Amino acid sequence: MSEKQPHPLPHHQTPIPEELREQLEQFKKRLWQIKIAEAILAGCFGLLFSFLLVFGLDRFIETPTSVRLVILVVGVSLFAIFAPYWIHRWVYGHRRENQIARLISRRFPKLGDRLLGAVELQDQTETTDTLSPALRAAAMRTVAADAAGRDLGQALPAARHRKGSLAVMLLFIIAVGSIISVPEASINALKRWIMPLSETNRYTFTQLDLSQINTPHHIPYGESFSLTIPLATDTHRHPSKARARYGDSAWLEAKLINGGYSFTFPGQRAQDNLHIEADDAIHSLPFEPVIRPALENIRAAVTLPAYLERPDINANLRSGYITVLEGSDIKIQATASRALSSATAEVLALPKQTDADLPPLETSEQDTPESQKNQPEDTSQPAIQPQKISLKIDGRKITTPPITITTNSVIIPMQWVDVYGLKADTPLKLRVESTQDQLPSTYIQGIERQHIMLAEETIDFEVLAEDDYGLKACGISWQGEFTKPTGETPAKGELTLDQGGSTRTTLNKPFSFSPANLSIKPQKLNLRSWTEDYKPGRGRIYSEPIVIYILTRDEHAQVLKNEFDRAIGELEDIARKEQNLNDENQRLDNKKDKNLQSEAGKKKLQAQQDAERDNKERLQELTQKMEKLFKDAVRNGEIDKEALQKMSKALQAMKELSQTDIPKVEQKLQDAQSQRNTPKKSEQDLKDAIEEQKKAIKKMQQALKDANEANQNFEASTFVNRLKRAATEEEGIASSFIDIINKVIGSEFSDLDPVEQRSIKASYDQQRQTAADVRWIQEDLAHYYARTQKEEHQKLVDAMRSSKIDEALEKLSLHVSGNASFTSISQSKRWADQLRKWAKQLEGDKKNGGGGGGGGGGGGGSQEDQDFEFMLKVMRMIQKEQDIRGRTRALEDLRRTLQPNTTLKP
């Protein structure tokens, strides 16, 4: 058999001996084996140690991502960087014989230098002259022999592979043991080691369930808050205690109760982390205090009932209260301070309050029955079932569905939760008060409750109407009523003054009312305003009536006579007061020891001045009344001229007294109190005041005299009107019987229809009243004659007494009540004719200058009389012009109001 051929060797000039070469190869092989093992063991050590380091750290802390990343980089770098470097250094860097020789020289310097020389001789080129090949070969053999006697293994670097193997084996056993004993923790640590940047949570043996805690977790700003952290169902440990703290505050401990730990933290205002520790479970959660969600705006869209024909109402609900008409729909819209996640609401109807719901009156203990003292108080309330409603959530907005408001008021509790899970501090309670469509109201203003006027006059007033939800229209209506029997029909009518609208809650319409324009004759008239709203079936609402007495001229004259009597009485009282004040001023002046500059003197003068001012104001008011009375007397047209002339003189004197004379007295009394006065000057001012006051009293007495004379003439002129009015009343009684004669003739009163009975009863009452009026006329004539001694009045008194009219009229009233229709008609007409005859006789005597009522004499009269008569004509022309203008204005108002839907029933 042929021998195995050795590996071809590099070509050298003179190769080193074979035994030396093999010895060096063995050294290199051993070096490579050790260093490659060290590199591999270092890489494995780095991987295992870094994994176990992460595993160990995770058992105590939440290893940060950066730390885990550094650990992984360092561990892998031993395998990926150090191992290649180590192999490159010891394997690649010791592959040649000269490199091996240098390594050996570190342990055996001489041998190493000789080996390095022998290695270098292999490739040395020379000639036979410089070096003999035999000598070179001999030198190499010598070095090989010397190396053969040495253990080159001692020249190997310090070997750490055995210790490394033990370390790696130990780490491997620890790693495998942890995987076997705690696989979840090991696998979790492996994941966190391999993928340090991943979101893999640290595994702990104590598992806390933090799924209900959002990050960052929001808590109420400045409010204490509670937090319960339960253990997870898969936890391996159940620590009896856990602790937590907010930021750097003190730790709070909590015991394990019902599988969780409950903490209560004080109010916080700054954002920070909440640290939780339970055994090996350590968590740090970001918490942010925020203000609870509040409503920035809340409004209600109210849809009113359809019959009102009104648009929807958008109302602000910041007050939490709103009044809504019964039958309306309300939709609530609220805007919160931040986005919401949910909201709840319900409708709670309130029971209507009745008298039984009112609190009982307080009673004393002794008034309480013994059986009731020990009875428990009944506080039961009617059961009310709230009705939940679904809410629409759109970001920050909450919207309720339309809620129909019935007769009951409702409370709507509302709660909301924001996207952070925070509720409102307190639930919002909205109260919706149900109200009914109230009755509209209307009234007439600008006129007294009772008004007296002539038919040709015009009165101006305003009709006002108000409602809570709109008015259709407003107007006036009138109903006449005769105060004495007559055959005429009372006036009746109505006018629509203004058309309203669904949004017009107030109507204000001025109107000029003229009875003559509406063909309304003298009678008592009940005038009312009316209005109507939109509620179906309600109809019109009327105001309180204004009673207007439309008088004939003789009735008007009698009213003026009564007012004039009262005015004279008030003037007499003012005159007496003025005289008393003058007497007191004289007493003050007559005092011997008077000192008007003293405190007592000034006080007395001030009291006199105040009393003088009060009397002046009373006289000014009376002058205004007298002026109106005079104008009304001129308007009447049937009042005696002499009475008007005397009234005018009295009125002029009253104007001068109130505007000039009495103010002078008041000023003098004020001057007497001046601090700049000397005592003598104050006394002189007081004397001047007394003198001015005497002049004023004298003028006031003359005014009283003129007023009394005017009143006498006034009274005389009213006798004619009173007789005419009595005649008219008798004619009215006859006319009322004529109208029903066919229904009542020959019948007993008890058998008559109620309508006819009522008519006869009214005629009877009127006959009694007329009989009383005639009796008073007869007595007043007798008294007037006693004062004036005028012959025409004596004749009339004698005629009335001889006719025994008072007895005849009383007897006639019995005929009327007994339904003696024919006798009542004939007797009423007879006495009506007689009364008119007497009135004509008295009126004729006045015209003939008989002196009765003061006819003003014949002829032209004095210049003063002529001037006054001219003034009367001018005044009457002005009044007539005013009446025409008033009636024209009333006609224009009437034309405007007479629309197609207006009814006029005069």
Side-chain angles (χ1 to χ4, degrees):
M1 295 180 62
S2 62
E3 297 182 356
K4 185 177 178 181
Q5 295 295 327
H7 292 289
L9 297 174
H11 178 74
H12 298 287
Q13 292 290 336
T14 304
I16 61 175
E18 182 65 25
E19 61 273 13
L20 180 59
R21 187 187 63 79
E22 290 181 355
Q23 190 177 10
L24 290 178
E25 284 292 330
Q26 290 293 329
F27 181 84
K28 181 176 70 173
K29 181 178 179 181
R30 182 60 179 164
L31 176 65
W32 283 11
Q33 288 176 348
I34 292 173
K35 295 306 178 182
I36 290 173
E38 288 179 352
I40 294 173
L41 289 173
C44 293
F45 179 85
L47 294 176
L48 289 173
F49 183 78
S50 63
F51 162 71
L52 291 176
L53 181 61
V54 171
F55 178 85
L57 290 175
D58 277 352
R59 302 288 63 79
F60 302 99
I61 63 172
E62 172 64 40
T63 310
T65 300
S66 58
V67 174
R68 288 187 280 122
L69 180 62
V70 170
I71 292 172
L72 177 64
V73 170
V74 171
V76 173
S77 65
L78 291 176
F79 198 94
I81 298 176
F82 176 78
Y85 160 76
W86 197 253
I87 293 174
H88 179 273
R89 177 183 175 183
W90 294 104
V91 176
Y92 184 78
H94 295 82
R95 66 186 184 280
R96 298 186 182 92
E97 293 172 344
N98 60 344
Q99 294 172 334
I100 296 298
R102 289 189 185 95
L103 180 61
I104 294 173
S105 67
R106 294 179 183 178
R107 178 70 178 84
F108 302 112
K110 294 180 178 181
L111 178 61
D113 290 341
R114 294 172 67 190
L115 287 173
L116 181 61
V119 172
E120 291 176 350
L121 287 175
Q122 292 183 105
D123 298 319
Q124 186 174 4
T125 60
E126 72 284 331
T127 64
T128 58
D129 296 332
T130 59
L131 181 63
S132 170
L135 291 175
R136 183 168 54 186
M140 289 183 179
R141 287 193 296 272
T142 301
V143 173
D146 189 15
R150 296 287 184 96
D151 183 7
L152 295 181
Q154 296 180 2
L156 290 170
R160 301 181 181 88
H161 61 286
R162 292 184 177 87
K163 294 181 180 179
S165 299
L166 292 175
V168 170
M169 184 61 67
L170 179 61
L171 292 180
F172 180 76
I173 292 171
I174 294 173
V176 172
S178 64
I179 293 174
I180 295 173
S181 60
V182 282
E184 296 90 349
S186 301
I187 294 173
N188 175 263
L190 183 62
K191 291 180 179 178
R192 289 165 58 83
W193 171 66
I194 294 175
M195 298 178 290
L197 300 179
S198 67
E199 297 296 331
T200 305
N201 294 324
R202 180 176 75 100
Y203 178 84
T204 58
F205 296 102
T206 300
Q207 293 286 329
L208 299 178
D209 185 2
L210 302 177
S211 61
Q212 300 300 322
I213 302 179
N214 299 323
T215 53
H217 189 70
H218 296 83
I219 56 176
Y221 184 86
E223 299 180 23
S224 62
F225 64 97
S226 297
L227 185 66
T228 298
I229 303 175
L231 289 172
T233 56
D234 56 350
T235 183
H236 286 76
R237 298 178 185 173
H238 298 77
S240 61
K241 290 183 181 181
R243 66 176 188 167
R245 70 175 179 177
Y246 189 90
D248 296 330
S249 60
W251 287 97
L252 300 176
E253 288 191 353
K255 294 181 179 181
L256 178 63
I257 299 175
N258 297 327
Y261 307 95
S262 297
F263 301 92
T264 300
F265 298 91
Q268 303 295 329
R269 290 179 172 83
Q271 182 176 357
D272 213 326
N273 289 332
L274 183 70
H275 307 288
I276 306 170
E277 295 182 3
D279 192 38
D280 63 339
I282 301 174
H283 299 277
S284 183
L285 305 175
F287 272 54
E288 180 182 355
V290 293
I291 297 175
R292 289 184 179 272
L295 295 184
E296 295 179 345
N297 185 28
I298 179 167
R299 306 192 68 83
V302 181
T303 302
L304 296 171
Y307 72 83
L308 290 176
E309 303 176 4
R310 297 188 67 173
D312 292 353
I313 299 174
N314 196 320
N316 195 324
L317 274 181
R318 292 297 297 177
S319 63
Y321 177 87
I322 187 174
T323 301
V324 175
L325 181 63
E326 176 185 344
S328 301
D329 289 339
I330 181 171
K331 180 188 289 186
I332 300 170
Q333 297 174 333
T335 303
S337 56
R338 68 174 64 93
L340 303 177
S341 61
S342 64
T344 59
E346 59 186 16
V347 178
L348 182 64
L350 298 177
K352 286 188 174 181
Q353 189 178 43
T354 62
D355 293 341
D357 299 325
L358 297 176
L361 296 175
E362 294 184 359
T363 57
S364 61
E365 188 174 354
Q366 64 255 20
D367 295 335
T368 305
E370 189 66 30
S371 60
Q372 296 181 8
K373 288 184 179 180
N374 298 323
Q375 292 293 330
E377 183 180 359
D378 184 10
T379 59
S380 61
Q381 295 291 335
I384 301 175
Q385 295 296 330
Q387 178 184 358
K388 292 188 177 295
I389 56 176
S390 59
L391 302 179
K392 179 182 177 183
I393 307 297
D394 184 11
R396 297 192 303 148
K397 294 184 178 180
I398 307 173
T399 305
T400 68
I403 303 170
T404 302
I405 304 301
T406 59
T407 57
N408 296 79
S409 300
V410 298
I411 291 180
I412 305 176
M414 186 180 294
Q415 179 63 280
W416 54 94
V417 180
D418 65 6
V419 291
Y420 300 146
L422 296 180
K423 292 184 178 180
D425 189 14
T426 55
L428 175 67
K429 287 189 177 182
L430 300 175
R431 184 182 179 95
V432 182
E433 194 73 25
S434 175
T435 183
Q436 294 183 347
D437 190 352
Q438 301 297 321
L439 293 172
S441 62
T442 179
Y443 55 96
I444 299 174
Q445 73 173 13
I447 183 175
E448 296 180 354
R449 295 295 93 186
Q450 291 187 351
H451 183 75
I452 297 173
M453 64 183 299
L454 295 171
E456 61 270 19
E457 288 186 82
T458 302
I459 54 172
D460 297 323
F461 54 81
E462 286 182 313
V463 173
L464 285 87
E466 297 177 347
D467 188 52
D468 45 2
Y469 292 100
L471 295 163
K472 275 188 177 180
C474 73
I476 58 172
S477 66
W478 58 89
Q479 175 64 57
E481 177 185 350
F482 289 111
T483 57
K484 51 194 174 184
T486 179
E488 299 181 0
T489 302
K492 183 178 181 181
E494 62 181 28
L495 288 172
T496 299
L497 301 183
D498 196 6
Q499 295 291 342
S502 59
T503 58
R504 295 185 66 184
T505 58
T506 302
L507 298 179
N508 187 343
K509 185 69 175 178
F511 188 72
S512 298
F513 183 78
S514 173
N517 287 349
L518 299 171
S519 301
I520 300 176
K521 296 181 179 180
Q523 57 189 290
K524 175 184 175 182
L525 203 66
N526 289 318
L527 179 68
R528 298 189 297 175
S529 63
W530 59 264
T531 188
E532 186 177 2
D533 65 0
Y534 283 84
K535 187 167 185 179
R538 174 168 284 169
R540 290 180 176 178
I541 303 299
Y542 290 88
S543 69
E544 290 294 324
I546 300 294
V547 181
I548 300 177
Y549 293 94
I550 305 173
L551 305 178
T552 60
R553 295 190 180 277
D554 55 339
E555 292 172 337
H556 186 250
Q558 186 61 43
V559 171
L560 295 179
K561 171 64 173 58
N562 296 336
E563 293 181 359
F564 195 42
D565 289 341
R566 288 192 291 271
I568 291 175
E570 191 171 351
L571 182 59
E572 289 175 348
D573 186 60
I574 294 174
R576 283 193 297 270
K577 181 69 178 296
E578 194 66 28
Q579 184 63 60
N580 293 337
L581 291 174
N582 182 257
D583 294 342
E584 188 64 30
N585 289 335
Q586 292 186 55
R587 293 189 194 99
L588 185 61
D589 183 53
N590 292 334
K591 285 185 176 180
K592 294 182 180 180
D593 56 345
K594 62 177 178 287
N595 184 3
L596 300 180
Q597 290 297 316
S598 65
E599 190 67 28
K602 289 182 179 180
K603 188 175 181 180
K604 184 62 177 176
L605 288 173
Q606 184 64 47
Q608 289 295 102
Q609 181 188 351
D610 294 341
E612 198 69 32
R613 184 185 303 111
D614 293 341
N615 217 33
K616 178 192 70 175
E617 292 174 356
R618 285 185 62 193
L619 185 58
Q620 288 174 348
E621 293 178 1
L622 181 60
T623 302
Q624 293 176 359
K625 293 179 182 179
M626 186 69 80
E627 187 172 9
K628 182 179 183 303
L629 186 61
F630 177 71
K631 291 180 180 180
D632 290 340
V634 173
R635 183 188 298 276
N636 182 272
E638 294 187 359
I639 297 176
D640 185 70
K641 182 189 71 174
E642 292 184 5
L644 294 176
Q645 189 173 9
K646 292 292 183 181
M647 188 185 297
S648 176
K649 288 182 179 180
L651 177 60
Q652 184 61 34
M654 292 170 66
K655 288 182 178 179
E656 294 173 358
L657 285 166
S658 62
Q659 296 175 4
T660 305
D661 298 335
I662 294 183
K664 284 183 180 180
V665 178
E666 182 185 357
Q667 184 61 43
K668 286 297 180 180
L669 291 173
Q670 183 177 357
D671 293 343
Q673 305 171 52
S674 177
Q675 295 180 355
R676 294 176 297 178
N677 278 0
T678 62
K680 188 175 181 180
K681 180 66 169 61
S682 295
E683 293 177 6
Q684 185 60 44
D685 288 337
L686 178 59
K687 291 181 182 296
D688 293 342
I690 293 173
E691 290 302 320
E692 292 292 339
Q693 199 170 30
K694 288 180 178 179
K695 294 178 183 179
I697 292 172
K698 185 176 180 181
K699 184 180 289 187
M700 200 175 295
Q701 291 172 347
Q702 181 60 43
L704 267 173
K705 181 180 178 183
D706 292 338
N708 283 319
E709 290 179 358
N711 195 30
Q712 288 182 4
N713 293 333
F714 212 152
E715 186 177 6
S717 65
T718 59
F719 285 133
V720 176
N721 294 329
R722 291 169 70 184
L723 290 170
K724 289 181 178 179
R725 185 171 67 250
T728 301
E729 290 170 355
E730 288 296 324
E731 289 174 346
I733 293 172
S735 298
S736 65
F737 267 102
I738 292 173
D739 291 340
I740 61 174
I741 188 67
N742 294 330
K743 299 179 181 179
V744 301
I745 189 169
S747 300
E748 294 291 336
F749 180 81
S750 59
D751 297 334
L752 297 177
D753 187 80
V755 176
E756 281 73 35
Q757 287 182 351
R758 187 165 54 252
S759 177
I760 292 175
K761 181 64 169 58
S763 297
Y764 168 73
D765 293 338
Q766 184 60 57
Q767 182 60 49
R768 293 288 303 275
Q769 182 63 43
T770 304
D773 291 343
V774 171
R775 185 167 58 255
W776 281 111
I777 293 173
Q778 185 175 329
E779 292 182 7
D780 290 343
L781 276 171
H783 291 303
Y784 185 76
Y785 168 70
R787 295 195 306 270
T788 62
Q789 296 295 315
K790 292 183 177 181
E791 184 179 356
E792 66 272 14
H793 296 107
Q794 175 64 39
K795 290 179 180 179
L796 184 55
V797 170
D798 293 341
M800 294 181 72
R801 286 176 178 174
S802 61
S803 67
K804 298 182 178 180
I805 186 172
D806 52 347
E807 297 178 4
L809 292 180
E810 287 290 343
K811 186 182 294 185
L812 179 56
S813 64
L814 298 177
H815 292 305
V816 172
S817 65
N819 192 25
S821 52
F822 181 77
T823 302
S824 299
I825 293 171
S826 60
Q827 289 296 315
S828 297
K829 286 185 174 182
R830 175 197 167 196
W831 289 114
D833 293 340
Q834 183 61 57
L835 289 168
R836 289 195 182 279
K837 182 178 178 182
W838 287 335
K840 187 176 181 181
Q841 176 185 339
L842 185 58
E843 192 174 18
D845 290 340
K846 287 168 58 182
K847 290 181 180 180
N848 293 330
S862 64
Q863 183 63 39
E864 182 181 359
D865 293 342
Q866 293 178 10
D867 292 343
F868 181 73
E869 188 170 355
F870 176 76
M871 183 195 71
L872 283 180
K873 290 181 180 179
V874 172
M875 287 186 66
R876 284 174 177 151
M877 288 176 61
I878 293 174
Q879 288 179 342
K880 190 172 183 179
E881 180 67 21
Q882 291 175 345
D883 290 342
I884 292 173
R885 288 181 180 178
R887 292 182 64 183
T888 303
R889 186 171 62 253
L891 284 171
E892 180 64 21
D893 289 344
L894 189 62
R895 183 188 66 80
R896 292 174 181 174
T897 57
L898 286 178
Q899 301 298 332
N901 59 340
T902 303
T903 58
L904 177 61
K905 302 175 183 178

